[in-house]
Amino acid sequence: MAGSCFAEVLSELVDLTQGERTALENLEERQRNVRRGAILQRENETGGELYILRKGLMMSYVLLDDGSRQILRFLFPGDMLGVSGLIYREAPETLCALSDCVVSPFDRGQLAQLIISHPRISAMILVYCQIERVSLTDRLAALGRTSAKARVAALLLELRNRLRATDKSVEDDFTLGLTQEEVGDATGLTAVHVNRMLRQLEEEGLIARENGRVTLLDENSLCRAANYVNRFERLDLGWLPRP
Amino acid sequence: MAGSCFAEVLSELVDLTQGERTALENLEERQRNVRRGAILQRENETGGELYILRKGLMMSYVLLDDGSRQILRFLFPGDMLGVSGLIYREAPETLCALSDCVVSPFDRGQLAQLIISHPRISAMILVYCQIERVSLTDRLAALGRTSAKARVAALLLELRNRLRATDKSVEDDFTLGLTQEEVGDATGLTAVHVNRMLRQLEEEGLIARENGRVTLLDENSLCRAANYVNRFERLDLGWLPRP
DNA sequence: CGCAAATTTGAACGTAGTCAACAAGTGTGG
DNA sequence: CCACACTTGTTGACTACGTTCAAATTTGCG
């Protein structure tokens, strides 16, 4: 598989120059397969490699000392993983594959080089950090101030939108790819309560379910119920430096 | 007041060159006073200015449509504010002064210029984004998976540490500067329950309180109860490009 | 001093958690 | 190909943490 997934994502935002494309391809020279369930980076362990996810679905999470887990983020093709390895020797979060995945590892020096030689890419990385930051604050507000049903609805919308970003064929129905326990660990709920909320969303006609696939039946109502905003839309990047 | 607050913060991490200092001072040429309670940027409004906070304490928050508020972050001198204005025309969050403040506004073009001419500063901005991101994930885990008492304890520790970063004289006691309602909106609790948790922490001998001042009596127990990690410590920045 | 905001406390309530049991898949090795 | 183990999903009964509502008290401020 040639080309750069990260470049593909960035070219949604701007037209990349040939030089920029080549520089990005350098980040994805190497490739590594990661089996479903495998752990790419473990919390508190060193290593500090960074990755671009090329294929598959991953998650990052932390374990608290009572044994409970908080899933911080789901990771999709084109996402940069393990960026915290940039600043801490010991990883603050675990990276785990939810499906069979392909990643491209690179090191901090390569990123430093990229920042020096391609300021516009540097700026676009900053843009992506901000999208991620705002998405995190959305989830913070969801956990702090919204009901269980709203959180589950928001997760469904987020998953569908992100899946669609890489696979344009995704419409209103998609395979969840998560257990209800994982949904719970992402939304700050128990698996049991997630089950009840999914059932409720189904009874209200907002979603349908059959053997692992979810269909969003009433996207508008869901968005309203969930307070959901797609942060990858309505970007305003006119200020980016010339290449 | 001369000099750059942002430069002061960054020089905790690396020795800045004279050229870098001058570039950073450009960001803080202008100054604006913001009264306690005043709103610098309102959610969903345009403007898109960025700021460096020079003096005082601010917060960013969102309002949900049931009227509840989630405080996303507290902002301290040297912090960059309104960075989401970099990517969205309409601000995703409100910026509000908790005390009389001084800010230095600058625009996106100035940041673009800085990124082009000073790659190392560009990298350090990325570093700060990551610290912020990891702090946000800590809070996400706190809201999703820890008890009310733990969240309040974590907030107290965070506030003390960030206050101490700008004012070295801060020891174990400090003025909260927040109402219990604000503590609640930051931790996803009600003001009433915050009050009960503070009392409980007091009864257990972990903190003391008198007219608005809080004293951390047993920092180790607090850290353990709160699952708290200071993300501004133990950084590893050897990879930063040469100036 | 007087008013509004903030804190404190109690009582009742409700959302989500816990525990438990069972059903339905899913995969593995004999 | 089936038997068995294990994971995942589903449902009910009970519990508890935190919310809501209300009222009293204290604090801060003009």
Side-chain angles (χ1 to χ4, degrees), chain A residues 145 178-181 192 195-196 199 209:
Chain A
R145 290 296 186 217
L178 301 177
T179 65
Q180 294 180 0
E181 186 171 7
V192 172
N195 185 287
R196 289 195 266 254
R199 176 150 309 284
R209 294 184 298 157

Side-chain angles (χ1 to χ4, degrees), chain A residues 131-149:
Chain A
I131 296 174
E132 199 182 328
R133 188 188 68 82
V134 175
S135 302
L136 272 173
T137 62
D138 286 344
R139 296 193 52 212
L140 196 73
L143 293 204
R145 290 296 186 217
T146 75
S147 69
K149 205 202 297 182

Side-chain angles (χ1 to χ4, degrees), chain A residues 109-160:
Chain A
Q110 283 175 274
L111 188 69
Q113 196 50 53
L114 193 63
I115 289 172
I116 292 170
S117 45
H118 294 278
R120 193 168 72 145
I121 291 178
S122 176
M124 284 190 282
I125 291 174
L126 195 59
V127 166
Y128 261 84
C129 282
Q130 284 305 311
I131 296 174
E132 199 182 328
R133 188 188 68 82
V134 175
S135 302
L136 272 173
T137 62
D138 286 344
R139 296 193 52 212
L140 196 73
L143 293 204
R145 290 296 186 217
T146 75
S147 69
K149 205 202 297 182
R151 295 185 221 170
V152 172
L155 180 61
L156 294 179
L157 286 164
E158 170 83 1
L159 278 176
R160 200 280 310 265

